[in-house]
Structure formats: structure tokens, C-alpha cells
Amino acid sequence: MAPSATDQSSPSKTPLTYKSGDPSLTLPEDVPTGPPIFENKYEERKYLKHRLALAFRVFAKFGFCEGVAGHITLRDPVDPKCFWVNPFGLHFSLITADDLIFVSHDGKVIDGGRNKFLNFAAFAIHSEIHTARPDVVCAAHSHSTYGRAFCATGRTLDPITQDSCVFYNDHVLYPTFAGVVLASDEGKHIAAALGTKKAVLLGNHGLLTAGRTIEETVAYFVLLDKCCEVQLAADASSAGSGKPLVLIGEVEAQATWEAIGTTENGYFQGLPLFQTVEHELGERTFLGRGVDVL
């Protein structure tokens, strides 16, 4: 049994001995770990808008649609101070690239389809995250069932499974719920809480993930919601049996994060999700990357 760890405030500062092997062996050599590179930024915009539309369809497949709540934003490659987001009131499963709305840094809708309604909560939260984190290309938030349930517990995930170690020392709880986020100051507080991490648990609200690629952000949102489900089930089992949960040790959890918790792994883990929605639209590209049509 691995030694237990209860304090996750900081990663191990001593050199790690990888008992289960070198984390760099997780992905095969030459596997794609990021999106294609475009010389033409307008071509990149076109490509990324389509990927964002697919991301909403992935969310729809997992049931991350709750009325009109939820949003995924994409930093624009042409004008990085602006972002693309879903129009308010359109179901995730129906969104196309042409439906996305283009929002300026001060909340003005510059471009979009017939529906140009902006969810101000999306602007209040995501604009501040994109401002505070220049590395963040994509940020996602929705009111997923297990995410909301776990965000009512007032705690972060325990390192109880291999998957939960993806978020080891890489997610944080924002405990304050002040109502629907309609003020930029509240968005600033959320962005500050997120810091350099990949995810924040918004107390009594839901999950938010942020990453350098759309695929990474989507993959880690899906996984985070699953980890919340597993944590809730494990907590219920522990409460029923009276036996404490077995936690993964600090060294083992950190090694696991290095193997499967990086940006590069997140991108690759997201590709199968995009393959499924490509198939539904009659598309098929190599590994679901949106290039190299098969």
C-alpha cells in the first residue's frame, strides 16, 4: 500500500524516484501533443472556431447542458484581447462555428450569427481569466451534475485514484458564492484563485477548467466531473463502512501527475472525444485533430 498523504498544499521538493517507471514514457514518441501550427492567423481562427463548436457538442454528449448555463471561450489568435464564446440561449448540441460570437475585452459583441446575445456571466468570469492568464487559450465552465454536487462539499479532491492525480496540486477551491457572477470584480477573484492551476471548484456553483488548447480544457473538464462522481461515491462508501479512504502517497501522486496531468497529455487525451463528434457530423480526420482528412 502506498503511504498516505493528507496535506496537498505543495508538491514534493525532493527529487522523485519513479517506482512505476519514467513518466515520459506515457506517450509514444512523435505523438501529437498540440494543435497544428498556422502561419496565417485567419486560417488558425477558422480552424479553432470549428474546434470550439465541436467542444460544445462534446459537452452536450456528456449532459453538461443545464438550461442556458455554461460557456466555453476561445482566445482569438488574430486579436488575443478578444474571445469567441457560445451565444446565450443556444443549445450546446446545435452550435456551429458560424453561431459563435466574438466579444471584445470590454464586453461588446463584435461579430457572430443571428443570435448575438451574450451571457454576461461568461464575460465576467472568462474575460478576467484570459486577462490574468496569457497562456490560457480556452476556458470552460458548466453546471455539471457531479461537479455541482461536489462543489457543495467545501473541499478539493483527494488523491484516491490514478485519474484524480491529474489534479494533484493542480486544482483549487473558490469557496465564496455571492450569487450569479455578474460583476467583473467577482471574475477577478475567481481568476486570482485559479492562479496557475488547471481547474477551480466554484463553491456551490460548478467546475471550471482552463488550458492552452481546446482539447486539453475539454478533456480535463470531462475528467474532473468524473473524479467528482468517484469522490462522492467513495465518500459515501467510507461513511457507510466506517473505514477511511486510502489515499495515494505524495510521491506517487506527483509522479502520476507528471505522467498524465500535463498540457501535452491533456491535448492527446481530448482527441478521442473530438473523434466521436467528428463522426456524428460526417467528418473524419487523423486522430480527430481536424487536419489530415481520412
Side-chain angles (χ1 to χ4, degrees), residues 35 88 92 107 184 229 242 271 282 286:
F88 200 28
F92 287 176
S184 292
E229 179 182 3
L271 293 180
F286 180 64

Side-chain angles (χ1 to χ4, degrees), residues 123-135:
F123 172 75
I125 297 172
H126 291 247
S127 63
E128 297 302 333
I129 290 174
H130 283 293
T131 298
R133 290 276 301 275
D135 63 308

Side-chain angles (χ1 to χ4, degrees), residues 242-260:
K243 297 181 180 179
L245 298 178
V246 178
L247 304 186
I248 295 171
E250 292 183 7
V251 171
E252 293 81 3
Q254 178 64 23
T256 305
W257 181 92
E258 292 181 22
I260 58 175

Side-chain angles (χ1 to χ4, degrees), residues 96 116 163 209 254:
T96 68
K116 292 185 176 66
D163 293 325
T209 58
Q254 178 64 23

Side-chain angles (χ1 to χ4, degrees), residues 4-16:
S4 296
T6 55
D7 180 7
Q8 298 185 42
S9 59
S10 61
S12 174
K13 296 181 181 180
T14 58
L16 294 181

